Amino acid sequence: MNRLNWSEVAPAGAKALYGVHHYVTNSTALPEELIHLVFLRVSQINGCAHCIDLHTRDLLKTMSIDKVALLPVWHEVLHLFPDQYRAALAWAEEVTRVSEIHASDEAYAAAAEAFEPKDLVDLTIAIAAMNAFNRLGAPFRLPVAAKP
């Protein structure tokens, strides 16, 4: 079934959302690799094929295949990720699942210890933005670059 291309149907809305994405990727002190790692993990949780494909490709430019492949089970391979990345991943999972988990004090404390206040807010904006993109990409079935 063909679905709407949300960004063509609502270009002003797309522009606004891409503006947040631009802010996160160009105007914060967050490392680019960390941003894409968080984008990928959030997209995995939300099941957005387009974003999983896109951010996997982005990460493979700077990160080993082992880390990318094991991202869904990062809790079991803590040695692969530095402390700040682990705090960001835990926070990303909590914020993405806020209706279930309510952003626990433990995850907040770890994130607050790993990031300066502005960086923690920017990280949370990045997580929120990717959740918004996933909630458009998945239901409208944006295409993936992967070929059979």
Side-chain angles (χ1 to χ4, degrees):
M1 164 184 265
N2 288 331
R3 299 195 184 195
L4 296 172
N5 181 324
W6 69 270
S7 61
E8 288 177 3
V9 173
K15 182 179 179 182
L17 192 51
Y18 282 112
V20 175
H21 182 272
H22 181 79
Y23 167 76
V24 168
T25 57
N26 293 288
S27 301
T28 71
L30 299 171
E32 182 179 357
E33 183 180 74
L34 177 65
I35 293 169
H36 288 294
L37 189 70
V38 166
F39 283 173
L40 177 56
R41 186 65 192 119
V42 168
S43 299
Q44 289 170 337
I45 293 166
N46 290 325
C48 181
H50 175 82
C51 293
I52 292 170
D53 183 57
L54 175 69
H55 297 296
T56 296
R57 292 171 191 282
D58 288 338
L59 276 173
L60 287 173
K61 295 173 188 172
T62 62
M63 187 175 277
S64 74
I65 185 90
D66 293 335
K67 288 181 182 182
V68 176
L70 291 169
L71 181 58
V73 292
W74 68 269
H75 294 275
E76 297 178 35
V77 289
L78 296 176
H79 65 283
L80 292 179
F81 301 97
D83 291 344
Q84 187 181 52
Y85 281 35
R86 292 194 308 263
L89 290 168
W91 187 239
E93 290 181 0
E94 297 261 342
V95 172
T96 298
R97 294 181 171 132
V98 71
S99 68
E100 303 164 28
I101 302 172
H102 304 290
S104 72
D105 290 342
E106 296 80 15
Y108 178 81
E113 184 175 317
F115 293 93
E116 294 296 322
K118 171 111 171 34
D119 295 336
L120 179 55
V121 172
D122 286 341
L123 173 63
T124 308
I125 291 169
I127 295 163
M130 188 48 48
N131 273 286
F133 276 111
N134 292 162
R135 279 153 179 77
L136 291 160
F140 288 112
R141 304 286 193 270
L142 291 180
V144 298
K147 302 294 180 216

